[in-house]
Amino acid sequence: MNPRPSLASRIGVGIAVAAVLIFTLFPVYWMISSAFDAKASSGGQSLLPQEFTLDNFAFVLTDGGFGTYLRNSAIVALVTVLVSAVVCLLAAVAVARFRFKFRTTVLMMILVVQMVPLEALVIPLFLQVKSLGLLNSIIGLMVVYVALSLAFGIWMLRGFVAAVPVELEEAAYIDGASWWRMFRSILLPLVMPGLVATSIFSFITAWNEFIFAMTILGA
């Protein structure tokens, strides 16, 4: 039987938990408090709002262009998910099922790309987008986000495709199914969990990313 913790230890644990909660939740409280405080924009905000106002929300929803930014973010994220899902799935099938020259080299290049920090890609991708004439365009931003999602998506989906027994595909061919029918009825349902996971990753990448959006759209 374990001994019951002493009162001092329980108090210490309670204080530690309270400190962690305050440290974690205070920024959230400060953000909400600033949103409703009329003096927040002038630097006169206190711990508790002195003058309650909704003008900050009105500014964001009208003059701040929040609706436009939200629409653009949603469009870019959804297009990135759709394009990267299709390209990653087809590329994963190619590297997992087909034997071609430099196949191992392609896989190693995909793995190496994931090791490069995003900050190191800002200038090269900026120059590429500039050469394509897509600066200050959400199409250029979509191209960048799709490119950033491909390496992880292809590598992850390759594992899911390789895990599908080849015998299932061969059985479909024996039954007279075409490649497209086999892909649609057998391979795609089996790799759907991986496709969903990579799509979520692509969406989060496109939705949360700021550096490339600021660089390409603010050029």
Side-chain angles (χ1 to χ4, degrees):
M1 182 176 180
N2 295 328
R4 185 177 181 181
S6 63
L7 179 61
S9 63
R10 284 182 290 172
I11 293 176
V13 171
I15 293 175
V17 171
V20 171
L21 288 176
I22 292 174
F23 180 80
T24 304
L25 298 179
F26 182 77
V28 178
Y29 164 77
W30 191 259
M31 177 183 65
I32 297 175
S33 175
S34 302
F36 292 102
D37 194 344
K39 296 183 178 180
S41 59
S42 60
Q45 182 185 5
S46 58
L47 189 60
L48 296 175
Q50 300 296 320
E51 297 182 17
F52 183 84
T53 182
L54 295 176
D55 292 343
N56 296 327
F57 292 93
F59 174 79
V60 168
L61 296 176
T62 55
D63 299 334
F66 177 78
T68 301
Y69 300 145
L70 181 63
R71 184 186 68 245
N72 290 342
S73 297
I75 293 174
V76 170
L78 292 177
V79 172
T80 300
V81 168
L82 293 176
V83 175
S84 62
V86 173
V87 175
C88 288
L89 181 57
L90 296 179
V93 172
V95 297
R97 286 290 186 259
F98 303 142
R99 298 294 182 267
F100 52 89
K101 193 175 182 180
F102 301 120
R103 174 175 173 270
T104 304
T105 304
V106 171
L107 292 175
M108 290 299 101
M109 290 177 61
I110 293 174
L111 184 61
V112 169
V113 167
Q114 299 182 66
M115 302 178 185
V116 180
L118 292 180
E119 291 77 8
L121 300 176
V122 173
I123 295 178
L125 288 177
F126 174 82
L127 296 177
Q128 288 284 344
V129 174
K130 182 180 179 181
S131 65
L132 295 174
L134 296 177
L135 287 179
N136 297 315
S137 168
I138 61 174
I139 297 178
L141 190 60
M142 293 175 189
V143 172
V144 171
Y145 287 161
V146 170
L148 295 178
S149 303
L150 288 182
F152 175 82
I154 294 173
W155 187 265
M156 185 172 183
L157 280 176
R158 173 190 169 274
F160 281 89
V161 175
V164 177
V166 181
E167 291 77 12
L168 293 177
E169 301 176 12
E170 294 174 347
Y173 293 141
I174 292 175
D175 290 339
S178 62
W179 185 90
W180 170 246
R181 179 61 186 274
M182 180 280 301
F183 176 81
R184 179 169 55 89
S185 301
I186 296 178
L187 189 60
L188 183 59
L190 293 176
V191 301
M192 186 59 68
L195 187 61
V196 171
T198 54
S199 297
I200 293 174
F201 170 80
S202 300
F203 181 85
I204 293 175
T205 299
W207 187 265
N208 289 343
E209 205 283 324
F210 179 74
I211 296 178
F212 285 101
M214 192 68 178
T215 303
I216 294 174
L217 298 182

